[in-house]
């Protein structure tokens, strides 16, 4: 016995919206930035971490503390070098942030800090060689500049 399902306009719209969300998640870029920490403790990626993490910290030109971390990960496609950049800055401050690997930018966008500060995370391909990971940020309101670098040894 054959049964037919009748779709109403609202159920068809819901099905279309669900499909669009699913496709957008598959096509989402491998980078994201947001104010503060997402609380997940996941560091620079959600895959299996490979090799030791490296990090450095300092202060910007107007005294804002920052931290830069990098680690090899397998949540690619393929192996990646994850980079996580945090600035302890007041909520609402908009920073232009650029992350680079051996001088090649792989993340560049404006990021707005929330109540816990600013966090920018992204990943570059693992080149199989030592990688010099850098972060450069400029606060659009105050002009403060943050520059950080860390060397990630090949695994």
């Amino acid at each position: 016995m054959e049964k037919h399902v009748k779709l109403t306009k609202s159920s068809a719209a819901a099905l279309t919206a669900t499909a669009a969300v699913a496709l957008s998640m598959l096509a989402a870029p491998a980078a994201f930035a947001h104010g503060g920490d997402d609380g997940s403790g996941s560091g620079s990626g959600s895959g299996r971490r490979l090799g030791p993490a490296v990090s450095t910290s300092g202060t910007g030109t107007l005294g804002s503390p920052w931290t830069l971390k990098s680690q090899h990960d397998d949540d690619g496609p393929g192996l990646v070098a994850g980079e996580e950049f945090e600035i302890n800055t007041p909520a609402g401050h908009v920073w232009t942030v650029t992350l680079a690997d051996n001088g090649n930018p792989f993340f560049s966008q404006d990021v707005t800090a929330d109540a816990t500060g600013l966090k920018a995370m992204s990943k570059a391909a693992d080149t199989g060689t030592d990688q010099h990971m850098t972060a450069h940020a400029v606060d659009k309101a105050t002009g403060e500049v943050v520059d950080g670098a860390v060397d990630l040894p090949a695994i």
Side-chain angles (χ1 to χ4, degrees), residues 48-131:
R48 182 176 46 122
R49 295 179 184 176
L50 307 170
V54 292
S55 67
T56 189
S57 60
T59 55
T61 57
L62 297 178
S64 294
W66 59 266
T67 303
L68 177 63
K69 304 172 200 169
S70 188
Q71 184 166 19
H72 295 284
D73 208 332
D74 68 354
D75 69 347
L79 297 179
V80 296
E83 189 167 11
E84 178 180 301
F85 183 51
E86 299 176 9
I87 304 173
N88 185 359
T89 186
H93 281 238
V94 178
W95 293 71
T96 300
V97 178
T98 302
L99 305 178
D101 175 13
N102 292 327
N104 299 311
F106 59 90
F107 174 93
S108 186
Q109 70 182 51
D110 288 348
V111 182
T112 303
D114 69 11
T116 61
L118 173 143
K119 181 187 278 185
M121 294 171 46
S122 190
K123 52 192 170 185
D126 185 323
T127 62
T129 62
D130 292 349
Q131 291 174 259

